[in-house]
Amino acid sequence: MVELTINGITVKAGEGMTILDAAKSVGINIPTLCHMKNLTPTGACRMCVVEVDGYRNLIPSCAYPVDEGMNVETNSPRVRTARKTIVELLVENHPQECLICVRNKNCELQDLAERYSVREHRFAGESKSHAIDISSASMERDPAKCILCGRCVRACNEVQKIGAIDFSNRGFASTVTTPFNIGLNVSDCILCGQCILVCPTAALREKSSLKAVTNAMNNKNKYVVVQVAPAVRATLGEEYHMPAGTDVTGKLVSGLRRLGFKKVFDTNFAADLTIMEEATELVQRITEGREMPMFTSCCPGWVKYIEMNHPDMLHHVSSCKSPHEMEGAIIKSFYAKKMGLAPEDIFVVSIMPCTVKKFESERPELSSDMLHDVDAVLTTRELVRFFNIAGIDFNELPDDKFDNPLGESTGAAAIFGTSGGVMEAALRTAYSLLTGKSSDHVEFEQVRGFDGVKESELNIDGTTLRIAVVNGIGNFPTLLNSMKEGREYHFVEVMACPGGCINGGGQPIHQNYEKVVKRVKALYDIDRRSESRNSHENKAVSALYEEFLEKPGSHVAHELLHTHYFDRKDKNRKIAVEE
Amino acid sequence: MENTLFSKYPRNDQSILIPLLQDIQSEYGYLPEDVLKQASEYIGLPLSRIYGVATFYNQFRLVPIGKNVIKVCRGTACHVKNSANILAALENTLKISAGQTTRDKVFTLEVVSCIGACSIAPVICVNDEYYGRLAIKDIDKIIKRYKNKSTEQPAAQEVEK
């Protein structure tokens, strides 16, 4: 422990602690831009500078450790002037278009300009101009709005370990870009959107599908239906000043109805359906002695990753479509027939916590008869914008229920939104498939939590099932290594975002990881409250099999609910160098 | 197939990046994208990081170089002696901007801060030959001399893909 003084307050801090953290521990907030908790400090933005006795220059507190007897001043006139100048310089080299910016009122640069009362343009000069990269189906990259804090670079390199973007060039010409400035669509990017979550401005943002949705709703010939992913109901409330982890399912449904969607369905229904298909596939693979392990296929970021990096392992990936694609396929076949609707007149909108789902919904193989299973994907953030345009006061909405039959779900489906959830749901059903009896043991603690790789062994009636859960794509290399070392697994769940969909790239933007923990708890609470907690007990799903799909893994089911994957390694990578 | 240039370096050692890039450049005259991709796998660094390093340093180039490299000194002494117009004249004659290479790959035009020959300002340097006390009217002659030399031998070959 060392003792130092910050703004006249005596502070006891652990050795190696940064001045920033020490100050925070006594309630002194120092502004930051480039700082990221638990990741390499870069000291790039200098927002966090403080004055320290005996030091000639101002010190970046995010990267400087405390020392015995230090006397720190975080709010001296010199510090305030330095910080304000930094903000002024950043603002001056930033497009002056806050009013029409997607991050208006949710922008850290804007907040700092406000906090330091930047009221004039002091440094008129050359400002950078860059083309916006709109090449990918999920995301846009607008380097003109980039303030070079490097948070996206660290999220991509250190957390996700993808390394699709990095700094390039030097000085005024510096940008964060893909190698050779190619489009994100042909880069190594898996479109997970973790960079969007950490971007302080709108330099990285989702590609909006709001227009496509409103156009469809304005078209009288279209029957526009919507489905909502499990993770959205546990995060949407944050955008309306509710505490993190508030379950807003009821309000969400009535809000969507007020927006004018003809039917409001639950992706959880299809999550139960996915489990039926996936658990059946797993049991088949085990009993037929096929190559192990089987990987989950719900996460399109993970699917894109393995297609791009390990195409030799594609046969390990479950052939099941992801839940919202299954739901779309069922809506356009079973439901259309039942309601007497033409599939081409139905427009399926998915509300997803995810940016990659946009890319996924455009995959040509996820369609039948040239009709995409899902026509448009909106992220949680876009849904908020939609509610705002429609003048919906979310907090005042009454609770409502999903439309049936594609709205019924079990607790197993709810936990799809968190790391380990798909595994847990599958285990519950696989248990019953393997033993033929229903399990009273439904909670599998060993697959929950935030560890990078969660491994476990289960004994089901004499069959030992070795499982692993990869929490965040950055941890996949760890699993791959232990596989190379000879460890064998039967079933592996991978979710690209740390924490799972609950922390997906389409979720409300925040810089507080504790929120993620609360969001996860909300999903487990929904599960615990559920009447039924096993996917195979979903009555609507059983009815669907009886009426239409025959049985899990049947020919019809394969036609509608299963897909195939492509080798994307070194494909379409012809690169034009920009001069 | 693995590039033979890599063999003298250990695998997955990030510290070898810059020497390796220098080797690649001296072999090919620039940093071909395909070779950088191989290097990325060999060193275990993302291509984006390698691209970042390659664009950070002036010594690295990502496009093929011309057979003759013209360096125009834009240091203070040369500036006083009209080097801005010398550069403009070269750009006009070669129909390229500074930093570019002619389409026939015969000339690459570069700007340097100071060549260290202030006593004979303004000065340009073609390959390793210096031309001092230069006047705009001399430029055509110099260009022609190198152009004729180049046409006697085949122009630099592009790297085989």
Side-chain angles (χ1 to χ4, degrees):
Chain A
M1 286 298 261
V2 294
E3 202 172 281
L4 69 158
T5 323
I6 304 179
N7 297 355
I9 305 168
T10 309
V11 184
K12 278 198 167 64
E15 224 148 312
M17 203 176 188
T18 60
I19 300 176
L20 179 77
D21 289 337
K24 195 171 254 168
S25 71
V26 289
I28 298 167
N29 276 332
I30 297 173
T32 58
L33 271 176
C34 70
H35 176 68
M36 289 174 95
K37 215 176 168 183
N38 302 331
L39 294 184
T40 320
T42 55
C45 73
R46 317 308 275 190
M47 266 319 290
C48 67
V49 285
V50 294
E51 214 171 345
V52 182
D53 272 3
Y55 289 75
R56 199 162 52 89
N57 291 325
L58 297 176
I59 302 292
S61 62
C62 74
Y64 210 87
V66 291
D67 207 354
E68 185 64 42
M70 232 178 201
N71 186 19
V72 180
E73 199 56 63
T74 73
N75 188 28
S76 67
R78 191 177 164 210
V79 167
R80 286 201 301 267
T81 310
R83 287 182 189 158
K84 183 170 180 178
T85 307
I86 291 164
V87 178
E88 283 175 319
L89 286 164
L90 286 173
V91 165
E92 218 51 67
N93 193 17
H94 191 85
Q96 312 291 323
E97 51 183 59
C98 294
L99 280 176
I100 52 168
C101 179
V102 68
R103 289 288 293 270
N104 190 21
K105 292 155 84 184
N106 183 15
C107 166
E108 289 177 42
L109 183 59
Q110 199 181 41
D111 289 348
L112 287 169
E114 175 56 33
R115 192 188 313 183
Y116 288 96
S117 287
V118 176
R119 292 285 176 266
E120 57 181 336
H121 294 297
R122 272 213 299 148
F123 302 104
E126 196 185 341
S127 56
K128 58 192 169 191
S129 72
H130 295 282
I132 302 175
D133 175 6
I134 54 166
S135 62
S136 97
S138 297
M139 282 165 56
E140 291 178 356
R141 202 167 56 83
D142 185 354
K145 288 187 177 166
C146 176
I147 58 168
L148 301 173
C149 66
R151 280 170 17 189
C152 53
V153 174
R154 274 172 284 159
C156 194
N157 278 281
E158 291 183 35
V159 180
Q160 299 295 72
K161 299 202 172 73
I162 302 285
I165 47 173
D166 208 330
F167 288 103
S168 75
N169 293 303
R170 181 159 48 113
F172 191 71
S174 294
T175 43
V176 169
T177 179
T178 53
F180 299 91
N181 209 8
I182 51 172
L184 277 179
N185 60 335
V186 286
S187 73
D188 289 335
C189 177
I190 60 163
L191 307 171
C192 66
Q194 286 297 309
C195 54
I196 299 178
L197 294 185
V198 297
C199 182
T201 68
L204 289 155
R205 56 194 183 228
E206 71 280 333
K207 189 181 241 178
S208 182
S209 314
L210 213 46
K211 206 161 200 173
V213 174
T214 44
N215 281 350
M217 293 178 96
N218 292 340
N219 184 342
K220 293 224 159 48
N221 300 322
K222 287 280 179 195
Y223 190 83
V224 186
V225 300
V226 68
Q227 56 169 320
V228 196
V232 175
R233 63 206 67 184
T235 59
L236 186 63
E238 289 170 30
E239 295 278 21
Y240 297 97
H241 313 294
M242 296 179 200
T246 311
D247 169 18
V248 295
T249 315
K251 289 187 192 305
L252 175 56
V253 176
S254 65
L256 288 170
R257 234 184 267 292
R258 284 196 189 179
L259 284 176
F261 288 107
K262 292 278 194 327
K263 293 285 173 204
V264 182
F265 294 132
D266 196 352
T267 309
N268 286 17
F269 167 84
D272 280 331
L273 188 60
T274 306
I275 286 302
M276 295 305 290
E277 292 294 325
E278 199 157 343
T280 307
E281 187 183 346
L282 176 68
V283 170
Q284 257 171 17
R285 280 183 189 236
I286 292 172
T287 48
E288 286 169 16
R290 280 161 66 191
E291 220 177 327
M292 288 286 150
M294 181 173 100
F295 290 120
T296 55
S297 59
C298 301
C299 173
W302 149 245
V303 169
K304 191 165 189 285
Y305 175 89
I306 194 165
E307 283 181 327
M308 292 196 304
N309 297 292
H310 305 286
D312 51 316
M313 295 171 78
L314 282 176
H315 60 287
H316 286 285
V317 183
S318 159
S319 63
C320 291
K321 289 181 184 175
S322 73
H324 85 124
E325 293 290 337
M326 283 198 185
E327 182 115 352
I330 293 296
I331 291 171
K332 290 193 178 179
S333 55
F334 168 75
Y335 188 75
K337 213 162 142 192
K338 201 175 166 120
M339 302 294 287
L341 293 162
E344 58 270 24
D345 291 340
I346 303 180
F347 192 92
V348 179
V349 179
S350 298
I351 312 289
M352 293 285 134
C354 179
T355 43
V356 208
K357 290 278 180 197
K358 288 174 187 276
F359 163 82
E360 185 191 35
S361 72
E362 290 187 8
R363 290 178 70 124
E365 70 276 15
L366 294 177
S367 60
S368 49
D369 299 334
M370 308 289 280
L371 288 175
H372 283 294
D373 294 338
V374 171
D375 297 284
V377 173
L378 297 180
T379 61
T380 314
R381 296 191 294 269
E382 287 170 274
L383 178 63
V384 174
R385 274 168 234 150
F386 205 176
F387 280 152
N388 289 345
I389 292 170
I392 288 170
D393 185 349
F394 192 78
N395 288 293
E396 298 303 321
L397 285 172
D399 283 352
D400 201 347
K401 282 202 161 67
F402 286 109
D403 286 306
N404 277 328
L406 307 182
E408 197 175 317
S409 67
T410 69
I415 56 175
F416 256 61
T418 171
S419 168
V422 175
M423 172 63 71
E424 187 166 339
L427 289 178
R428 292 178 191 174
T429 293
Y431 183 91
S432 118
L433 285 178
L434 283 169
T435 61
K437 56 190 174 201
S438 205
S439 158
D440 42 353
H441 170 64
V442 288
E443 292 194 4
F444 295 86
E445 281 298 331
Q446 59 271 48
V447 299
R448 299 187 178 188
F450 293 91
D451 291 344
V453 179
K454 296 170 267 189
E455 286 186 37
S456 180
E457 269 187 22
L458 287 171
N459 197 326
I460 302 178
D461 258 14
T463 316
T464 309
L465 207 56
R466 275 184 299 274
I467 55 165
V469 174
V470 177
N471 174 20
I473 200 76
N475 295 304
F476 182 70
T478 317
L479 179 94
L480 197 61
N481 277 342
S482 48
M483 276 169 66
K484 276 184 187 150
E485 282 163 12
R487 272 193 81 86
E488 286 176 354
Y489 303 94
H490 292 103
F491 191 30
V492 178
E493 177 207 287
V494 187
M495 290 196 190
C497 293
C501 316
I502 205 82
N503 189 30
Q507 294 282 33
I509 288 168
H510 65 93
Q511 306 303 334
N512 181 357
Y513 203 74
E514 279 146 33
K515 278 192 179 176
V516 180
V517 181
K518 289 183 184 147
R519 291 170 176 181
V520 169
K521 194 177 163 292
L523 290 188
Y524 284 124
D525 285 347
I526 295 177
D527 172 34
R528 209 161 294 137
R529 282 202 310 269
S530 296
E531 229 168 87
S532 165
R533 300 178 68 182
N534 293 312
S535 294
H536 52 274
E537 289 164 7
N538 184 325
K539 291 195 185 73
V541 169
S542 314
L544 176 67
Y545 277 112
E546 250 164 56
E547 274 181 61
F548 186 63
L549 292 172
E550 295 161 24
K551 63 177 181 24
S554 73
H555 183 71
V556 198
H558 262 275
E559 202 98 296
L560 286 169
L561 309 179
H562 291 255
T563 182
H564 50 275
Y565 309 105
F566 296 97
D567 178 352
R568 285 179 201 269
K569 200 171 192 175
D570 281 330
K571 264 195 193 152
N572 309 319
R573 299 270 184 112
K574 199 71 208 143
I575 289 165
V577 179
E578 260 186 56
E579 275 289 313
Chain B
M1 221 199 44
E2 197 161 285
N3 202 307
T4 46
L5 279 176
F6 302 163
S7 51
K8 73 177 193 200
Y9 296 106
R11 261 182 187 280
N12 296 318
D13 179 0
Q14 307 191 349
S15 66
I16 62 151
L17 176 60
I18 287 174
L20 181 61
L21 289 182
Q22 284 166 332
D23 284 0
I24 295 172
Q25 181 148 308
S26 62
E27 173 74 21
Y28 298 98
Y30 73 111
L31 301 175
E33 187 196 319
D34 292 357
V35 183
L36 290 190
K37 271 186 195 161
Q38 294 163 16
S40 147
E41 277 180 22
Y42 190 85
I43 312 176
L45 265 180
L47 187 60
S48 58
R49 178 60 53 88
I50 295 180
Y51 178 74
V53 171
T55 52
F56 184 88
Y57 293 106
N58 264 348
Q59 60 168 302
F60 296 121
R61 48 175 71 250
L62 294 160
V63 283
I65 195 172
K67 192 163 176 55
N68 302 290
V69 180
I70 305 176
K71 292 180 183 145
V72 182
C73 179
R74 289 286 288 122
T76 315
C78 289
H79 177 74
V80 172
K81 289 280 194 177
N82 205 20
S83 68
N85 287 332
I86 301 258
L87 177 63
L90 276 164
E91 288 179 333
N92 279 335
T93 314
L94 298 170
K95 298 194 171 58
I96 53 172
S97 308
Q100 293 181 333
T101 300
T102 53
R103 218 171 258 192
D104 57 8
K105 303 232 165 41
V106 176
F107 292 104
T108 294
L109 185 60
E110 281 185 349
V111 165
V112 291
S113 299
C114 179
I115 233 162
C118 307
S119 57
I120 54 166
V123 60
I124 67 168
C125 170
V126 187
N127 304 336
D128 286 326
E129 290 155 29
Y130 290 77
Y131 296 87
R133 300 207 177 84
L134 204 64
I136 290 176
K137 65 177 168 40
D138 302 331
I139 284 173
D140 268 353
K141 217 164 61 192
I142 297 171
I143 297 287
K144 263 194 196 120
R145 180 183 306 161
Y146 286 93
K147 201 162 199 169
N148 292 339
K149 246 197 236 170
S150 315
T151 45
E152 286 161 19
Q153 317 151 358
Q157 297 249 312
E158 271 212 61
V159 181
E160 280 172 37
K161 289 276 159 88

